[in-house]
Amino acid sequence: MTRRTDAPLSVTRRALLATGAAALATPMLSRRAFAAPTELTMLAWYGHAEPDMVAEFEAENNVKFVPKYYTGGDNMLGLISQSPPGTFDVILSDAEYVQQLNAAGYIEALDPADYAFDEFFPEFQQFPGHWQDGTLYSVITRFGFLGVAYNTDALTEAEASTYNVFWNEKLKGKVGHFDWHLPNLGQISQLNGNAIPYDIDEAAWEAVKEKALSLRPQVGGFFDYGGTFSSLNDGQMLAFAGIGDWITGTLEKNGAKVRSVIPEEGGLQWTESFSIGKGSQKADLAKKWIQYVTSAKGQAKSANMAAYPALIPNQKGWEVLNAENPDEAKRQGMVIGQSNVMDMIRNGRIQYRQLPIQQDLETWNDFWSEYKGA
């Protein structure tokens, strides 16, 4: 009886000792396995901190992104100005707002040697506004074109290939605006023949306002990000100003009869870039994220982001995208060795979206409010 009692106790002691020894032998592994992830705050357009974009990086670096999403650069600036320094570790901004972020002291200087600019197309290696006096403040990660978005049952591509289509009688009450003045007024400026649509004198600015007001009876609504998707998807709006494939590409892939075209007057380029927030206590991790998302692998992922697709500046990223998802590479015009989106930039059909140069931003914003209320 004594032996029967001692035997299981002896086995139990040996098992406990073995377990303890194993735990002592791998203390760092155990700590890593159970360590809480480091939170990394991101201020961005919707989609950039969703699992399809960040899950791999989070797993590899024991990080958890905490996003704050915005719509429009003015909204972004407002959120930062109301937050203490260090609130946001990484900040995604439209390119035209980088200078304002820098001037306000909201972002950190970056070391260009940390990023794979040698893999980028030459046009994006020193992107305008991202550098000041030779110092880098933001790294371009993706871009896209804005033109005419249209319902393919209501309009042909030929009809949609001019901004004048917005005045078409059959679209009365069916023209939508993405509710942001820069892309919409920039397109009106292009229609008016301004070679650099945001660098116009007062006479040209008055002409832009007059032309815009003439469109107002055609307009059925002004929409935020979600409203733009739904109103195009359900046919509430049959044409849209101020957007492009970043909206219609997602809908088209899901079966909606919508598309975007760059009209004969030319298109605008939106550009997104990442910066490190001023005062971030996790600047090294923030840098690591920017390196990841601008690497060839991260770029291919970004091109096909679930929230909205985009073009990418990393040439090697094009190669990865063509290998992994050739249909999407072809759909977006990112196939090397044949006519592609870079040709449109190089041929002068695309102008960068900018802040107004001869007027202040508030002037354009005030007119947009007046236009909406007309």
Side-chain angles (χ1 to χ4, degrees), residues 64-101:
K64 179 64 180 173
F65 277 97
V66 180
K68 176 69 175 178
Y69 291 132
Y70 65 82
T71 301
D74 298 337
N75 180 218
M76 174 205 64
L77 288 172
L79 288 168
I80 297 176
S81 68
Q82 296 161 21
S83 305
T87 298
F88 303 110
D89 298 307
V90 286
I91 298 171
L92 180 96
S93 71
D94 294 282
E96 58 267 37
Y97 285 88
V98 172
Q99 294 174 63
Q100 289 191 314
L101 290 171

Side-chain angles (χ1 to χ4, degrees), residues 237-258:
M237 296 293 118
L238 299 179
F240 237 92
I243 62 166
D245 189 68
W246 73 280
I247 293 280
T248 58
T250 302
L251 291 169
E252 188 179 6
K253 285 191 287 185
N254 288 318
K257 295 184 176 182
V258 294

Side-chain angles (χ1 to χ4, degrees), residues 80-217:
I80 297 176
S81 68
Q82 296 161 21
S83 305
T87 298
F88 303 110
D89 298 307
V90 286
I91 298 171
L92 180 96
S93 71
D94 294 282
E96 58 267 37
Y97 285 88
V98 172
Q99 294 174 63
Q100 289 191 314
L101 290 171
N102 186 20
Y106 292 148
I107 53 178
E108 299 281 2
L110 306 176
D111 183 350
D114 289 334
Y115 306 98
F117 285 117
D118 59 332
E119 296 181 0
F120 284 30
F121 287 101
E123 289 82 355
F124 302 115
Q125 291 180 4
Q126 290 209 5
F127 197 76
H130 288 186
W131 301 70
Q132 173 118 15
D133 299 327
T135 300
L136 178 69
Y137 287 91
S138 197
V139 182
I140 179 174
T141 182
R142 62 208 310 260
F143 65 99
F145 301 153
L146 308 174
V148 175
Y150 65 101
N151 183 300
T152 55
D153 280 344
L155 297 168
T156 66
E157 183 174 334
E159 288 176 312
S161 292
T162 171
Y163 290 123
N164 285 314
V165 73
F166 295 137
W167 282 261
N168 189 311
E169 275 299 313
K170 67 181 176 181
L171 295 181
K172 192 171 183 66
K174 294 291 185 179
V175 175
H177 278 298
F178 181 62
D179 192 4
W180 189 11
H181 53 87
L182 283 181
N184 288 283
L185 297 179
Q187 289 184 333
I188 297 291
S189 185
Q190 284 186 303
L191 175 60
N192 276 8
N194 297 313
I196 304 176
Y198 297 95
D199 188 3
I200 56 176
D201 62 20
E202 286 308 302
W205 169 235
E206 290 300 320
V208 166
K209 293 194 292 183
E210 182 180 351
K211 187 67 173 178
L213 287 167
S214 75
L215 178 61
R216 189 65 182 83

Side-chain angles (χ1 to χ4, degrees), residues 12-27 30:
T12 302
R13 289 189 193 103
R14 284 198 298 272
L16 286 170
L17 287 169
T19 302
L24 288 170
T26 56
S30 300

Side-chain angles (χ1 to χ4, degrees), residues 256-296:
K257 295 184 176 182
V258 294
R259 194 165 296 159
S260 291
V261 63
I262 301 304
E264 61 191 37
E265 298 88 0
L268 300 173
Q269 179 179 315
W270 60 266
T271 310
E272 292 176 344
S273 56
F274 271 113
S275 301
I276 297 176
K278 195 76 168 182
S280 169
Q281 299 301 303
K282 301 158 191 171
D284 286 344
L285 263 179
K287 177 180 73 175
K288 198 170 185 179
W289 162 251
I290 299 174
Q291 290 172 330
Y292 170 85
V293 79
T294 56
S295 70

